[in-house]
Amino acid sequence: MPEALPKRPTAEKIVKEVAPVGAVQQVAAEVKEASVPYNANFGESVVQTALQYLGASYRSGMSGPYAFDCSGFTSYVYRKQNVSILRSSRSQYTQGTPIARISDLKKGDLVFFGGRGNSRSVGHVGIVMDVDPSGNNFSFVHAASGGVKVSDSSEAYYSRRYIGARRIVEN
């Protein structure tokens, strides 16, 4: 049986596991000071655009407007907002600014999950719709089998595979 992944790694937890104790306080202070800017109008617009495609078919390799795969969907939605992002979920995971904590997610951020065959490597992407007030879960819109739909990060399939998030547009 493969080694279990942590459910939701945070920057502080990772730093504590690999950094000397003296460096932890310095890095933790830097993490608290460094907030990621957010454009609320852009985030809301991304979500509203994404929701227009609820029910569209899932097709591998497609990027809309009538059928999508996951990264085709995110790149299409962002393109409708005049923002160009790379085409694959793995490539999208290299763009923008990483968001370390779920509680820091905002509408329009991209969230990434491991794939079916390898839950340690990016294989799926969606767009944050809302974050639970507890800061532990979020809802997201994405293209998956069955078409474009809304899911929750607390669903067993996604909670086990959550890898991280990125903010593409910051100001």
Side-chain angles (χ1 to χ4, degrees):
M1 178 173 228
E3 180 183 338
L5 290 173
K7 284 193 177 183
R8 291 191 174 89
T10 62
E12 293 89 350
K13 183 175 188 290
I14 292 168
V15 168
K16 287 178 185 173
E17 290 175 357
V18 297
V21 173
V24 169
Q25 283 115 2
Q26 179 183 355
V27 171
E30 290 171 8
V31 168
K32 286 180 184 174
E33 290 174 2
S35 65
V36 179
Y38 173 66
N39 182 328
N41 291 332
F42 178 79
E44 182 65 35
S45 185
V46 166
V47 170
Q48 291 307 313
T49 299
L51 291 174
Q52 292 175 13
Y53 297 93
L54 285 176
S57 298
Y58 177 87
R59 295 275 190 296
S60 181
M62 298 295 289
S63 55
Y66 303 107
F68 302 93
D69 65 13
C70 66
S71 57
F73 177 66
T74 54
S75 63
Y76 181 84
V77 168
Y78 269 78
R79 191 167 54 252
K80 296 285 275 182
Q81 302 301 314
N82 297 313
V83 174
S84 178
I85 61 175
L86 299 171
R87 176 59 177 81
S88 76
S89 57
R90 283 187 198 104
S91 297
Q92 290 173 8
Y93 189 62
T94 67
Q95 294 186 270
T97 304
I99 307 300
R101 293 181 296 265
I102 289 174
S103 60
D104 292 334
L105 291 175
K106 303 287 186 194
K107 288 182 178 187
D109 288 342
L110 296 180
V111 284
F112 298 89
F113 303 88
R116 286 186 193 275
N118 182 356
S119 61
R120 294 177 183 263
S121 135
V122 173
H124 190 64
V125 61
I127 298 170
V128 173
M129 282 184 46
D130 200 18
V131 179
D132 185 89
S134 71
N136 295 322
N137 300 306
F138 55 89
S139 60
F140 61 104
V141 58
H142 60 124
S145 60
V148 175
K149 61 184 177 179
V150 174
S151 295
D152 194 278
S153 66
S154 64
E155 295 172 29
Y157 182 86
Y158 296 108
S159 68
R160 289 191 311 266
R161 289 175 168 79
Y162 180 72
I163 290 176
R166 300 289 215 175
R167 182 159 303 144
I168 302 299
V169 173
E170 299 178 358
N171 50 27

